[in-house]
Amino acid sequence: MEKPRQVVRKFLARPQHEGVGAVVRRSIGRFELRYFDPFLVLDEFSVSAPAGFPDHPHRGFETVTYMLEGAVAHEDFEGHRGTIKAGDVQWMTAGRGIVHSEMPAGPGTSKGLQLWVNLSSGNKMVEPGYQEIQSKDIACTSADGVTVRVIAGNAMGARSPVRTRTPTMYLDFTVRPRAAVRQPVPPSWNAFAYVLEGEGVFGTERCAPAGAHHLLLLGQGDGLEAWNKSDRPLRFLLIGGEPIGEPVAQLGPFVMNTEEEIDMTVDDFERYANGFEKARHWKSQAMVALGVE
């Protein structure tokens, strides 16, 4: 690396309520940071039954769900159904439209992260699709006190099999005390770090440490340097993506390029048309179990 990226902004993601009884720490998609091209939302969620995220629609982007603890049961109006457990990843392309539910599976509290990745205008109306990777199949490697799980992109010689319509890297680093990370990031991409556990020093050794639930926006450069100067392990995500550079129009779970397209999306959803046809007669098993009409 010739020009390591520096931290230009730092946020503490505070808890807020979302869905039905769920608690999330939102760092991207809040009033201080509405959009960080190509990223629309980053939520660290915590949910226990009967709370969750019952039937809801999406259009125009991708969701990436990465489980940390527990499990989440997922089902949609196409008949796709499954359970994402600790360490698993689901990369869902909503494309032209999907209606699905995400509810905790089993006892206890389920925790994880959900990232929304925008799609370019040419990809917003593609057919929905899924890439699901179990924890055991995620590329992982270790060296010099650093372990990385490669959700998307490549790091330390390991490469993810995930295909990203918007070029994206998603890395989960665990750093032992007194160890350090040096990870290249394409210079034209936007990138950030999010601390999950412990505390680390990012960008330059002169910076104050950042602890859990902090989002660190990174400036221009060709990589990130980070140090664990504490006596506990540091775990953080490094996420980067190629900016799309297009206008963004958003209404909740619908993300398009213009307000006219948002109006058309709302109309499509209400009329069960142009990708939402199967929503007319579909209800998740979770909603049926709750007796919701």
Side-chain angles (χ1 to χ4, degrees):
M1 287 185 293
E2 295 181 359
K3 185 183 178 183
R5 294 177 181 238
Q6 304 300 305
V7 176
V8 294
R9 295 178 74 184
K10 182 168 82 170
F11 301 97
L12 175 62
R14 302 182 186 281
Q16 66 183 61
H17 291 283
E18 193 73 16
V20 177
V23 175
V24 305
R25 291 177 178 268
R26 178 162 297 170
S27 48
I28 298 175
R30 58 194 241 177
F31 68 92
E32 302 101 324
L33 187 62
R34 288 294 184 190
Y35 182 52
F36 188 50
D37 193 4
F39 304 112
L40 296 152
V41 167
L42 178 65
D43 282 345
E44 181 182 359
F45 63 83
S46 177
V47 59
S48 303
F53 305 94
D55 305 8
H56 59 280
H58 293 295
R59 173 182 276 182
F61 61 99
E62 298 184 303
T63 66
V64 185
T65 305
Y66 183 30
M67 293 302 301
L68 301 177
E69 298 179 20
V72 164
H74 168 274
E75 56 178 311
D76 71 21
F77 68 2
E78 293 284 354
H80 183 89
R81 183 180 295 122
T83 301
I84 316 168
K85 301 177 181 179
D88 295 350
V89 174
Q90 182 194 75
W91 200 293
M92 183 187 82
T93 302
R96 66 197 300 256
I98 200 82
V99 178
H100 71 160
S101 72
E102 300 158 293
M103 303 295 287
T109 300
S110 295
K111 298 181 180 181
L113 298 116
Q114 188 167 93
L115 176 72
W116 292 12
V117 185
N118 200 8
L119 289 170
S120 67
S121 57
N123 283 318
K124 284 189 176 296
M125 296 297 285
V126 299
E127 291 296 321
Y130 295 88
Q131 298 174 79
E132 294 177 328
I133 305 178
Q134 294 184 345
S135 180
K136 64 181 178 62
D137 297 323
I138 290 176
C140 183
T141 189
S142 300
D144 301 324
V146 176
T147 298
V148 63
R149 307 185 84 225
V150 184
I151 311 304
N154 60 85
M156 295 169 55
R159 181 178 294 275
S160 168
V162 168
R163 303 175 306 280
T164 61
R165 290 181 179 272
T166 300
T168 305
M169 65 187 306
Y170 191 135
L171 309 176
D172 176 2
F173 283 101
T174 300
V175 188
R176 292 181 184 173
R178 309 299 175 228
V181 171
R182 298 181 80 247
Q183 172 61 39
V185 178
S188 62
W189 289 17
N190 285 330
F192 64 88
Y194 186 80
V195 182
L196 295 174
E197 300 172 12
E199 63 177 29
V201 176
F202 296 85
T204 173
E205 291 191 81
R206 298 187 302 274
C207 281
H213 316 302
H214 277 91
L215 179 96
L216 307 162
L217 292 188
L218 304 176
Q220 296 300 306
D222 59 2
L224 172 68
E225 292 183 325
W227 298 264
N228 182 359
K229 297 188 175 185
S230 74
D231 56 4
R232 295 180 299 150
L234 162 67
R235 186 180 182 188
F236 72 93
L237 305 177
L238 174 60
I239 297 175
E242 183 175 64
I244 295 172
E246 296 178 352
V248 174
Q250 180 173 1
L251 181 65
F254 304 137
V255 183
M256 303 300 288
N257 294 109
T258 67
E259 293 301 329
E260 291 77 13
E261 290 172 338
I262 290 292
D263 292 341
M264 291 173 59
T265 296
V266 172
D267 190 54
D268 288 344
F269 179 61
E270 291 178 345
R271 293 190 304 109
Y272 308 108
N274 295 324
F276 292 110
E277 289 85 354
K278 294 182 180 180
R280 183 187 296 273
H281 302 295
W282 181 80
K283 188 185 300 178
S284 69
Q285 291 185 347
M287 294 289 275
V288 171
L290 291 172
V292 177
E293 295 296 330

